[in-house]
Amino acid sequence: MQVFHHVASLRRALAEARAAGKTIGFVPTMGNLHDAHIELVKTARQHCDQVVVSIFVNRLQFGLNEDWDKYPRTLEQDTARLREADCDFLFHPEESEIYPNGMDQQTRVICPAMTDVLCGASRPGHFEGVTTVVAKLFNIVQPHRAVFGIKDFQQLAVIRRMVEDLCIPVEIIAAPVHREADGLAMSSRNGYITPQERPRVAVLNQSLNWAREQIESGCRDFSDLEAEAKKRIEQAGFRVDYFSICNSRTLEPAADDDGEITVLGAIYTSAARLIDNVSLQL
């Protein structure tokens, strides 16, 4: 695996790979890699000849009182895991390399669709930071395909819309949610869950699957399902950010005749915000 810290040197290496007829797969991350990240790398490997992984903790997507300073930086362990996963290129830039003119003067990429609901409602400016850095990384790497996890369903939808709107020539591949044995979706923020909370956090995934089962059984009273799911989560001792039953394509509240539905939830533990979702076709 080759490691790069600068845009110019990475571009030169990737130009050589393209000249040799290689297809480029890309997995953008913020590091602190776990098994779900490695599954993304494996998915990229299945679809492409060469795999690029970026590790960059993007301050632009963190809110005013969020955990940018505390976000785990585990570069040595991450590098070892990527070598084992047969990654070809690791891109680990300094902030000045990504934002050479500073973030205050940075040109922003704004996707007005689907960014002011769900996570966007409680994290103002978050998706603007995501779309800006992902657009920059796409321009740097110029991959044929990029892999994103379905766990961040809203992010996946927003990235797909950005790629479509800006005519970026990259195929977006969605990778399934990778879970712990009790159903908890793997996340870098799971490390913030206390030992006392850990046995109870599966309530989020359990509530999502309960709502899905109710819909599959014919229930279309989505408001009542959302209210009951929130009650279950609160009874387990967690604060609900949102629990929403949505049209999978638009993320608008689901209608009775929608064919593709996604149930999305976000909860707060004492020190973490956890998200998850399940989808179904009717």
Side-chain angles (χ1 to χ4, degrees), residues 174-233:
V177 182
H178 204 60
R179 300 186 179 279
E180 305 284 0
D182 63 354
L184 177 67
M186 288 189 177
S187 168
S188 296
R189 290 186 170 87
N190 289 355
Y192 300 153
I193 301 170
T194 68
Q196 294 75 26
E197 293 169 334
R198 184 61 187 82
R200 294 180 280 119
V201 291
V203 69
L204 174 57
N205 181 247
Q206 292 165 358
S207 299
L208 292 166
N209 282 309
W210 170 81
R212 176 176 62 182
E213 291 165 2
Q214 297 301 307
I215 297 169
E216 288 175 335
S217 298
C219 178
R220 294 295 181 272
D221 196 335
F222 299 138
S223 295
D224 278 0
L225 291 179
E226 291 169 349
E228 175 60 27
K230 289 176 183 176
K231 186 187 302 182
R232 292 176 178 223
I233 294 167

Side-chain angles (χ1 to χ4, degrees), residues 29-37 67 70-74 78 151-152 180 185-193 272-274:
T29 82
M30 293 204 299
N32 193 31
L33 304 182
H34 46 70
D35 288 350
H37 290 112
D67 57 354
K70 296 190 302 178
Y71 195 89
R73 275 87 166 166
T74 55
D78 294 346
K151 180 183 78 75
D152 296 289
E180 305 284 0
M186 288 189 177
S187 168
S188 296
R189 290 186 170 87
N190 289 355
Y192 300 153
I193 301 170
R273 181 177 177 277
L274 307 179

Side-chain angles (χ1 to χ4, degrees), residues 11-24 49-50 89 144:
R11 279 179 166 164
R12 284 194 295 269
L14 293 176
E16 292 177 7
R18 285 191 201 87
K22 305 292 187 182
T23 54
I24 308 298
D49 301 315
Q50 304 269 264
F89 305 95
H144 296 86

Side-chain angles (χ1 to χ4, degrees), residues 76-131:
E76 186 175 341
Q77 297 163 278
D78 294 346
T79 301
R81 294 206 69 173
L82 290 173
R83 290 189 192 280
E84 292 175 4
D86 199 25
C87 174
D88 298 291
F89 305 95
L90 168 59
F91 181 46
H92 179 245
E94 295 292 333
E95 187 174 278
S96 59
E97 189 74 8
I98 299 297
Y99 300 115
N101 298 308
M103 288 196 297
D104 289 343
Q105 301 299 318
Q106 170 63 42
T107 299
R108 309 294 178 100
V109 177
I110 299 172
C111 180
M114 301 179 288
T115 56
D116 59 353
V117 297
L118 305 172
C119 289
S122 56
R123 303 183 69 188
H126 168 70
F127 285 111
E128 182 178 318
V130 170
T131 48

